[in-house]
Amino acid sequence: MPLVNNCTAESCAFNHDHNCHALAITIGEPAHAQCDTFVGGPFDGGDPNAIGHVGACKMADCRYNDHLECQAPGISVGYQRDIVDCLTYQPA
């Protein structure tokens, strides 16, 4: 599973110092390559000793997607306008 190399969504409960600490995230919904695992609010989530990985990707049109699994060596997550997206997403 590819690493989440960095995440600039500081308001996410899984983000600590620009690192994702969710064990696995899911990317994608019909309109955007958004991080479906994003959780806003006053929560503290994830394993502080773990670095996040991409567990699944629903962006079937991404060049890195193979059977809904991400094949990129690693991804970056951050804001595209006001949505937290996979910044590594590239249409095939």
Side-chain angles (χ1 to χ4, degrees), residues 17-92:
D17 298 320
H18 290 215
N19 290 306
C20 179
H21 293 281
L23 296 179
I25 67 169
T26 299
I27 297 294
E29 62 99 42
H32 298 280
Q34 76 183 43
C35 179
D36 283 354
T37 309
F38 173 84
V39 176
F43 306 104
D44 189 19
D47 179 348
N49 297 313
I51 299 295
H53 289 80
V54 181
C57 178
K58 298 184 278 183
M59 299 304 293
D61 68 337
C62 180
R63 69 178 293 177
Y64 298 110
N65 192 312
D66 184 21
H67 297 92
L68 303 179
E69 300 287 341
C70 181
Q71 302 299 312
I75 70 164
S76 295
V77 175
Y79 287 98
Q80 288 276 59
R81 298 183 188 112
D82 61 346
I83 299 172
V84 178
D85 278 355
C86 173
L87 302 177
T88 307
Y89 165 79
Q90 293 182 21

Side-chain angles (χ1 to χ4, degrees), residues 2-20:
L3 286 173
V4 178
N5 291 328
N6 62 61
C7 177
T8 59
E10 293 178 356
S11 62
C12 182
F14 294 107
N15 187 320
H16 304 285
D17 298 320
H18 290 215
N19 290 306
C20 179

